């Protein structure tokens, strides 16, 4: 039975990855920060069946990406064959408000794990969750593995550091360490502060009569949106490859936030213009106008390609958020 260790296991990607690995027969270990409140709503349905019994073999460990000694202790104890580093301060807009914290957790946190691998001497494969935000002010369309980075936020800058330190440790120490440059990937498990989930969650609240207001920022930003559940399969495939490498994971399609609004509100016969309010506080000091990735390398070398279309993704998110509000999606949506 293979052992995998996941940082950020309680997040969107961590929960889908844990589900995938458990289905493949892995023993899954995850790291969570200690908090006065539980943050397990994404992972408990994966780890327990309806009778409250464990599903598969999984273990949670308290730790923090700011604490190298804790990372060292966990890796020395678990000795995982695969490490998926997904944990980060991952909100781009918030990174402007807490840039030093973002740099420490998202950037330096990566080298703490890489050093823990060296210090413990464990034989493992390492996955670094890199981001399309590294491209920022894009130098090429579409963006590929060879496209120069031009980050436009503290988050993007921290991810560039994490990317290059992963490449450096691969080349300096012969580590099997790969970067997955994932473009925007969404799902019903997406955090509610991210724009796609904010739209579908608020839409469900509008349909439930709980609000009439949806404050947003730049509606013309273009993004390459995929389904998170598809993207975690690419993470796993990278660590099954004989040689470590870096891959763009994307759909090679781009859509504006206006298109996301039109598609989601159209599913329930509403006009988003009646509810959306532009609020300057949601604009970034430096905007990323266009992201679109070329996943050719991942298709040719890993056999990976996205399975879920943009329209299917929006429909899935709206459906689940309506259901979460106690509404009947089958009656309200144009399926």
């Amino acid at each position: 039975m293979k052992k995998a260790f996941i940082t950020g296991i309680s997040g969107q990607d961590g929960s889908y990855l844990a589900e995938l690995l458990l289905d493949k027969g892995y023993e899954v270990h995850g790291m969570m920060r200690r908090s006065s409140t539980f943050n397990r709503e994404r992972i408990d349905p994966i780890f327990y069946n309806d009778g409250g019994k464990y599903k598969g073999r999984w273990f949670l460990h308290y730790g923090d990406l700011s604490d190298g000694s804790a990372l060292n202790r966990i890796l020395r104890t678990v000795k995982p064959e695969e490490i998926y580093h997904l944990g980060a301060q991952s909100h781009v807009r918030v990174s402007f408000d807490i840039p030093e914290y973002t740099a420490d957790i998202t950037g330096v946190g990566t080298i703490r794990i890489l050093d823990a691998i060296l210090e413990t001497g464990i034989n493992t494969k390492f996955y670094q969750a890199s981001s399309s935000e590294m491209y920022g002010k894009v130098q090429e369309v579409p963006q590929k593995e060879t496209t120069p980075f031009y980050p436009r936020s503290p988050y993007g800058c921290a991810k560039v550091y994490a990317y290059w330190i992963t490449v450096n440790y691969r080349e300096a120490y012969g580590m099997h360490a790969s970067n997955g440059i994932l473009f925007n990937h969404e799902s019903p498990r997406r955090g509610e502060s991210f724009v796609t989930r904010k739209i579908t969650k608020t839409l469900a609240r509008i349909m439930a009569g709980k609000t009439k207001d949806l404050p947003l920022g730049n509606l013309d930003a273009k993004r390459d949106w995929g389904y998170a559940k598809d993207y975690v399969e690419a993470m796993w495939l990278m660590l099954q490859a004989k040689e470590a490498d870096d891959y763009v994971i994307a759909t090679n399609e781009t859509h504006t936030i206006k298109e996301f609004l039109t598609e989601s509100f159209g599913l329930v016969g509403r006009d988003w213009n009646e509810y959306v309010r532009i609020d300057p506080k949601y604009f970034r000091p430096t905007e990323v106008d266009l992201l679109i990735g070329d996943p050719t390398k991942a298709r040719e070398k890993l056999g990976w390609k996205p399975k879920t279309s943009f329209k299917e993704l929006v429909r899935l998110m709206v459906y689940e958020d309506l259901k979460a509000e106690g509404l009947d999606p089958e009656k309200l949506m144009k399926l």
Side-chain angles (χ1 to χ4, degrees):
M1 180 181 288
K2 274 188 178 180
K3 292 182 188 177
F5 174 62
I6 305 171
T7 68
I9 194 170
S10 61
Q12 170 190 249
D13 293 6
S15 65
Y16 280 119
L17 180 61
E19 194 169 25
L20 174 72
L21 295 177
L22 286 170
D23 286 344
K24 290 182 178 296
Y26 279 65
E27 178 177 300
V28 174
H29 295 255
M31 188 175 79
M32 293 184 65
R33 286 177 297 163
R34 179 68 180 93
S35 173
S36 58
T37 58
F38 288 112
N39 180 27
R40 293 175 48 161
E41 61 272 9
R42 294 184 182 98
I43 55 177
D44 276 349
I46 297 166
F47 289 159
Y48 298 98
N49 60 25
D50 292 337
K53 294 183 179 180
Y54 289 178
K55 295 192 291 187
R57 286 181 57 80
W58 59 269
F59 304 88
L60 295 179
H61 307 265
Y62 285 121
D64 196 291
L65 292 170
S66 66
D67 185 351
S69 62
L71 294 168
N72 194 304
R73 171 181 50 79
I74 293 170
L75 295 191
R76 193 180 300 277
T77 302
V78 175
K79 296 181 177 64
E81 284 97 336
E82 297 174 7
I83 296 173
Y84 297 87
H85 177 36
L86 313 182
Q89 190 302 99
S90 60
H91 198 285
V92 179
R93 177 62 190 84
V94 171
S95 76
F96 286 98
D97 300 324
I98 49 173
E100 183 178 342
Y101 176 80
T102 301
D104 184 42
I105 299 303
T106 306
V108 181
T110 303
I111 201 170
R112 292 189 182 108
I113 297 183
L114 291 167
D115 270 342
I117 294 171
L118 284 180
E119 291 170 11
T120 57
I122 61 174
N123 183 21
T124 191
K125 296 178 179 179
F126 178 78
Y127 170 84
Q128 162 61 20
S130 291
S131 168
S132 60
E133 288 288 333
M134 300 188 302
Y135 295 118
K137 189 175 181 179
V138 299
Q139 306 298 292
E140 181 181 26
V141 178
Q143 293 86 58
K144 303 190 286 287
E145 291 81 4
T146 54
T147 303
F149 299 138
Y150 196 138
R152 300 271 280 173
S153 65
Y155 170 79
C157 292
K159 281 293 187 180
V160 169
Y161 175 82
Y163 171 93
W164 280 117
I165 202 64
T166 299
V167 172
N168 180 253
Y169 271 53
R170 178 172 74 216
E171 295 176 351
Y173 302 109
M175 283 188 179
H176 192 295
S178 297
N179 282 288
I181 308 173
L182 271 59
F183 281 63
N184 293 66
H185 45 292
E186 319 298 314
S187 76
R189 299 181 193 174
R190 188 60 146 151
E192 294 175 18
S193 61
F194 291 85
V195 66
T196 54
R197 184 72 197 291
K198 183 178 181 180
I199 290 170
T200 61
K201 180 74 173 177
T202 305
L203 173 58
R205 287 173 52 79
I206 289 169
M207 299 303 292
K210 295 181 179 179
T211 188
K212 295 182 179 179
D213 185 45
L214 175 52
L216 294 173
N218 179 14
L219 303 187
D220 295 315
K222 296 179 179 179
R223 295 292 184 268
D224 184 329
W225 279 304
Y227 183 25
K229 193 170 184 178
D230 293 344
Y231 283 33
V232 299
E233 292 182 9
M235 299 177 189
W236 178 76
L237 286 169
M238 286 179 216
L239 296 201
Q240 310 318 302
K242 184 177 180 181
E243 301 291 336
D245 208 340
D246 309 315
Y247 297 91
V248 163
I249 304 300
T251 70
N252 200 30
E253 290 183 14
T254 191
H255 300 274
T256 64
I257 293 172
K258 282 182 181 177
E259 287 179 78
F260 197 100
L261 284 164
T262 300
E263 186 66 29
S264 55
F265 275 73
L267 285 169
V268 293
R270 296 292 180 101
D271 180 358
W272 62 264
N273 290 283
E274 297 178 12
Y275 305 96
V276 170
R277 171 175 56 85
I278 302 302
D279 188 332
K281 78 177 183 179
Y282 293 113
F283 284 82
R284 302 179 188 179
T286 45
E287 183 57 79
V288 173
D289 297 314
L290 167 65
L291 291 174
I292 177 171
D294 179 358
T296 300
K297 182 178 176 180
R299 183 180 67 247
E300 292 179 349
K301 292 190 69 175
L302 301 176
W304 180 88
K305 61 181 180 179
K307 301 173 184 175
T308 308
S309 71
F310 173 72
K311 288 180 179 289
E312 290 169 338
L313 173 63
V314 177
R315 187 179 300 114
L316 175 65
M317 292 178 68
V318 171
Y319 187 99
E320 292 299 325
D321 274 330
L322 288 172
K323 194 163 66 171
E325 285 292 338
L327 302 172
D328 187 348
E330 301 289 339
K331 292 182 178 179
L332 293 173
M333 292 177 65
K334 298 175 182 179
L335 299 173

